[in-house]
Amino acid sequence: MRLKLLLPPSVRMIALCGITIYASLAFSTVVLSQENPSPDDAASKKTDFETQILPLLKSKCFDCHGPETQESKFRLDRRSGLLRGGDSGEPGIVPGKASESHLIQLVKGEGSGKFMPPEEADRLSPAEVQLLVDWINEGATWAAGATDEDDEKQTSDHWSFRPVQPVALPDVKSDWVTNPVDAFILQGLQNHQLKPNPRASKTDLIRRLYLDMLGLPPTPEEVQTFVDDDRPEAWAELVDRTLASPHYGERWARYWLDLVRFAETNGYETNRERPNAWPYRDYVIRSLNDDKPYDQFLREQIAGDAIGVPEATAYLVAGPYDLVKSPDINLTLMQRQNELDDIINTTGTAFLGLTLGCARCHNHKFDPIRQSDYYALQGIFAGIQHGDRAMPRSEATEKQLAEINDQLASLREQLRPFIKAGSPLRPAVTAKNNEESFAKTEARFVRFTIDATNASEPCLDEIEIFADGRNVALSSAGAKAKCSSALPGYAIHRLEHINDGLGGNSHSWISNEPGKGWIQIELPAVSAINRIVWARDREGQFGDRVPTKYRIEISLDGQAWKVVASSDDRAPFSAAPKEPEYVFDGLPEVKASQGKEWLQQLKTLEAKRSALLTSATVYAGTFQQPGPVFRLFRGEPSAPREQVAPNTVAALGKLAIDDKTPEQQRRLALADWIASNNNPLTARVIVNRLWQFHFGRGFVSTPSDFGAAGVRPTHPELLDWLSFELMEHHWSLKHVHRLILLSATYQQSGEPNEEAMKIDAGTEWWWRFPTRRLEAEPMRDCMLAVTGVLDNRMYGPGFSAFEVELENVRHYFPKKSYGPEDFRRMIYQTKVRLEKESVFGAFDCPDAATSVPRRSRSTTPLQALNLLNSPFMLQQAELFAIRLRKEASTPDAQITRAWWLCYGRSPSEAELSESRQFIADEGLESFCRAVLNSNEFVFIP
């Protein structure tokens, strides 16, 4: 059949779901002929496209949300626009496959159930539809003369998608300018008829620097030393000292942890603890203190397992995790999509300033991010699963553990005569840790037989068998496990978990026999073993299913067995088992003293061993090779479309990977692309964040959205200059800090100026330093510092602000009393998702549900009540008063000391007089409480 198009053109509107076409049709009547096509007709295909297809498509087109947003506009007279489709994410056409083309489905009223255009009078005739079908099936050939600009390239001309280039310094003349930062700032000030503020006082400067960079106040002695130092280089040397301080990492890590939604519980209704999450926090602190190149810092967090920093991948699984899975497969699939969306969206916003999550259900409405790009990124992250991962221990650590174990065995033997009469030779079994020691014996098979438990089927999370201090039972070393039975239907309770190197209930074996069962480990080779370690749940979350009656046997051939340990010499099981009680009374002084010394050594070594073992497991996720990934229509797991290969945002780059690339190499390729000097976003985004954390707001006031919906930078040239500086100086964050801190811009007074306020009340052009209240963490830290009880211990497991009710659904209750264990810096306080610390949580602490690029700053009655009347504040006021009485003997001296500790200055005569009267009326403790609540104490000047 051949189509002949006659008569003048008419105008028709075709409204598509996601696409509206205003088309000038090159026909109004179609005459059908049964003639066979001639060779000339075949040769005229190009003419058919130009005169028939192109006029049908050629006009301005907008998405279904209307033409008011220019960034969502695209044209269907460009092949790229048709291939991309509308906001729904469905390609408009699939060349060669008209039946799969969204355009055809819509004009026919198929697929989505919608008929477009909706009005019957406006719809295409069957012949017109057939014309489009034939063209698509023929390959949708595009005529050489037609416009074929790439929509992505046109849209990606947005300022933040352009390469970072060297920037010429502004030609400004002023003695105020101390470095290039000031030249750019002064240019902006002059353009807005503004002048910079004078330099702040030296007292304000040192307090500003310490509070900003360290989150702690300077001591009175440090303030006085700086104030008395008139050398020109005094400020630069002070800046260098703060950048070298270990407290810098503790202060600035909090910003990063907010950004990557770090917490130490899962969230959702159960909100279970993540006892092995804290090493990631320590990794961030160390990285900042070491000035690790920022590009390397990012690479490690995406693919640290590939480059020797495995704990860094804890970033990937730092977000919420729904532990409770639904029996409904659709809900379970959606849960998994939500997990992956958390990783994709956080990576986009935190590292790139791109709202990638907006493309989960449809093409991004503002930025050149297709829905297929989103699922290409999902193909990179699809192999990540939440959970603990055993960290490879160094040879030095393994040797240290072996030495400690030998020393512990020797000490227990030496302490045996001191055990109280009637005490068991060995303590009762526990759910968390049990050890069997015996003389070195050669074995190839080890069988653990359980005859009774404290409840239900027995459960073991790991069996470790040691020969010369090395665990020879690991499956990764070639050991094979078998069992009497395994509880079916639970992926977390499988046989393979018994020797996978991971502890805890989520990596355990459960027998399918009530109260009994056995596990057998076949070692890779005959080994001389002398110690076996086992537990029900090393994380201490579960206390049921504990084997209470058992025996451990060894064999060389799997036939003849010999018992080497059993429960026969253990005390009866108790829900709260106790260590043996040692008695030294009534013994000769020398012998008693020796026994006490051995006991202290035992406790010290046990603590050291526990720390070494704990640090070997990190909540850093597990990885597996992902299956195929499909684009999901409207983000619905039940509506997969075409398969998508792993990659990044097509408009910004392309990775040399495909669906056959190993999972780890996919993440490494993405990490390299993000951390590349050629990536236009990475350096700009972090430089903007650094400026924001110093000044309270960045050049771009939407710090996690550098796309078209975000706000354009106030100082684009300065942003690019600093970004180029960062990359040129090996991605050193401390280099950028130093440039900012040494600028006259940073050293300005924060005093308001009436004329300047009329022009720039929001201080967008930085004519003064914007004073602001401290965040919750440094506010608390400063209070502990001035009261004299701050514990400066760094790293390791944190302290809790809650009393936890250990039910299936965890309940967190605020502590009612505080002791020295609570007086560490707040960065080490266990971060509980969805809960806020009872005193300082009211000061806008995020709940770690999502990435937080900038905390809000509210002022509420609850904040005032917490700082005035909470048990913590009353305690700190008392401790402050104790310190003042120790360090000063008279009220005037105590007031002066308080002023120096809290404000870094002497009180004025009026302040001294009023404080003296207040102490006489209300007491020193009330005075201390008032000082700790003052604006001058909790504000960065």
Side-chain angles (χ1 to χ4, degrees), residues 49-343:
F49 169 78
E50 290 181 341
T51 63
Q52 299 162 7
I53 303 298
L54 187 58
L56 182 65
L57 303 173
K58 190 172 185 179
S59 62
K60 293 184 177 179
C61 309
F62 300 89
D63 69 23
C64 60
H65 294 276
E68 66 279 358
T69 306
Q70 290 299 309
E71 282 75 13
S72 59
K73 173 180 173 182
F74 62 93
R75 298 172 64 100
L76 291 187
D77 60 345
R78 295 182 184 135
R79 193 166 190 265
S80 59
L82 270 175
L83 293 172
R84 171 176 172 148
D87 286 340
S88 67
E90 298 289 300
I93 61 171
V94 180
K97 299 179 180 180
S99 62
E100 297 179 17
S101 297
H102 197 47
L103 174 66
I104 299 304
Q105 293 171 3
L106 290 169
V107 297
K108 285 185 174 182
E110 300 172 348
S112 66
K114 293 184 179 180
F115 212 131
M116 296 297 174
E119 298 298 329
E120 187 172 356
D122 295 326
R123 292 174 189 165
L124 273 68
S125 69
E128 294 165 349
V129 172
Q130 189 62 42
L131 184 64
L132 291 174
V133 169
D134 290 345
W135 174 65
I136 294 171
N137 282 336
E138 290 163 4
T141 303
W142 209 258
T147 303
D148 192 21
E149 291 179 45
D150 190 333
D151 282 330
E152 282 76 14
K153 286 184 178 178
Q154 185 185 43
T155 312
S156 65
D157 195 39
H158 183 64
W159 70 268
S160 65
F161 302 151
R162 300 171 192 153
V164 177
Q165 302 285 357
V167 180
L169 297 181
D171 184 17
V172 292
K173 301 288 190 281
S174 172
D175 293 338
W176 180 77
V177 174
T178 62
N179 70 14
V181 170
D182 298 327
F184 288 102
I185 293 297
L186 185 59
Q187 183 182 55
L189 293 175
Q190 291 175 347
N191 290 341
H192 291 82
Q193 291 76 51
L194 291 165
K195 293 181 180 180
N197 256 11
R199 191 173 191 248
S201 70
K202 296 189 79 173
T203 298
D204 280 352
L205 282 177
I206 187 172
R207 277 183 53 76
R208 178 185 301 172
L209 182 66
Y210 271 59
L211 296 176
D212 179 23
M213 295 303 296
L214 308 180
L216 294 170
T219 65
E221 295 73 25
E222 288 170 327
V223 174
Q224 196 63 58
T225 299
F226 176 64
V227 169
D228 293 342
D229 192 342
D230 295 327
R231 294 176 305 130
E233 61 270 22
W235 174 249
E237 290 178 1
L238 185 65
V239 166
D240 288 342
R241 285 199 296 274
T242 58
L243 287 172
S245 169
H247 296 312
Y248 156 73
E250 293 176 318
R251 167 68 159 130
W252 282 72
R254 183 69 265 164
Y255 295 129
W256 187 259
L257 296 179
D258 280 0
L259 199 60
V260 299
R261 81 283 189 231
F262 171 79
E264 294 167 81
T265 64
N266 286 334
Y268 291 95
E269 63 268 29
T270 57
N271 209 12
R272 293 282 183 83
E273 303 86 346
R274 294 178 180 173
N276 299 317
W278 59 265
Y280 174 73
R281 172 248 293 153
D282 288 359
Y283 158 79
V284 174
I285 295 172
R286 286 191 175 97
S287 296
L288 294 175
N289 278 335
D290 294 343
D291 197 20
K292 180 175 289 181
Y294 182 68
D295 58 341
Q296 182 70 9
F297 183 55
L298 296 188
R299 291 177 77 245
E300 290 173 356
Q301 291 177 77
I302 297 175
D305 54 315
I307 52 180
V309 195
E311 68 273 17
T313 61
Y315 151 75
L316 296 167
V317 291
Y321 174 62
D322 194 351
L323 188 67
V324 181
K325 303 305 178 187
S326 171
D328 185 336
I329 185 61
N330 291 318
L331 291 178
T332 300
L333 290 173
M334 186 59 77
Q335 284 176 309
R336 178 59 179 159
Q337 286 296 313
N338 291 340
E339 291 170 19
L340 294 173
D341 182 70
D342 168 68
I343 301 171

Side-chain angles (χ1 to χ4, degrees), residues 638-676:
S638 59
R641 293 297 193 259
E642 75 279 1
Q643 184 175 340
V644 180
N647 222 295
T648 187
V649 178
L652 298 177
K654 186 176 182 180
L655 308 180
I657 58 175
D658 56 30
D659 52 10
K660 297 182 179 63
T661 303
E663 187 275 339
Q664 187 184 75
Q665 294 305 308
R666 299 183 188 191
R667 288 184 286 112
L668 188 58
L670 178 67
D672 289 340
W673 175 76
I674 290 175
S676 167

Side-chain angles (χ1 to χ4, degrees), residues 16-31:
L16 303 179
C17 180
I19 309 170
T20 301
I21 305 175
Y22 295 93
S24 295
L25 301 184
F27 49 83
S28 60
T29 303
V30 179
V31 177

Side-chain angles (χ1 to χ4, degrees), residues 810-823:
R810 297 295 193 256
H811 300 288
Y812 297 89
F813 301 99
K815 276 188 173 179
K816 297 175 182 177
S817 61
Y818 304 88
E821 69 277 5
D822 302 305
F823 295 159

